[in-house]
Amino acid sequence: MEKLMMGVLILLTVLIILKQGLNWLNFWTLKQNHKLERQLAAQRRSDQTQDDVTDDEERGEQE
């Protein structure tokens, strides 16, 4: 009976460690995703600004 209780305790400990590892991995993934979203938003703003400048230049050439 004592060996069974020890086995259950070890199993629970392993499961808790795995769960904490998955929580950390999830947090890290969300953090990376947020970082990439900010970079993409900045790139889109930069591209939009460049498109606006190009449009202004084309209008200037047409006039």
Side-chain angles (χ1 to χ4, degrees):
M1 188 67 174
E2 197 173 304
K3 285 184 179 181
L4 177 64
M5 293 298 285
M6 195 61 162
V8 169
L9 184 62
I10 290 171
L11 181 61
L12 286 174
T13 304
V14 168
L15 289 174
I16 289 170
I17 291 170
L18 285 174
K19 185 177 184 314
Q20 286 301 108
L22 288 174
N23 284 344
W24 179 85
L25 182 62
N26 187 36
F27 172 76
W28 182 80
T29 303
L30 288 172
K31 186 176 165 186
Q32 289 298 107
N33 192 21
H34 181 66
K35 181 179 174 184
L36 291 173
E37 285 175 351
R38 284 186 306 179
Q39 288 176 349
L40 182 59
Q43 182 180 358
R44 285 181 176 161
R45 282 193 303 270
S46 174
D47 290 348
Q48 183 62 44
T49 302
Q50 185 60 39
D51 289 346
D52 290 346
V53 169
T54 304
D55 292 344
D56 290 345
E57 289 173 353
E58 288 174 356
R59 278 190 224 117
E61 290 173 2
Q62 290 174 354
E63 292 175 0

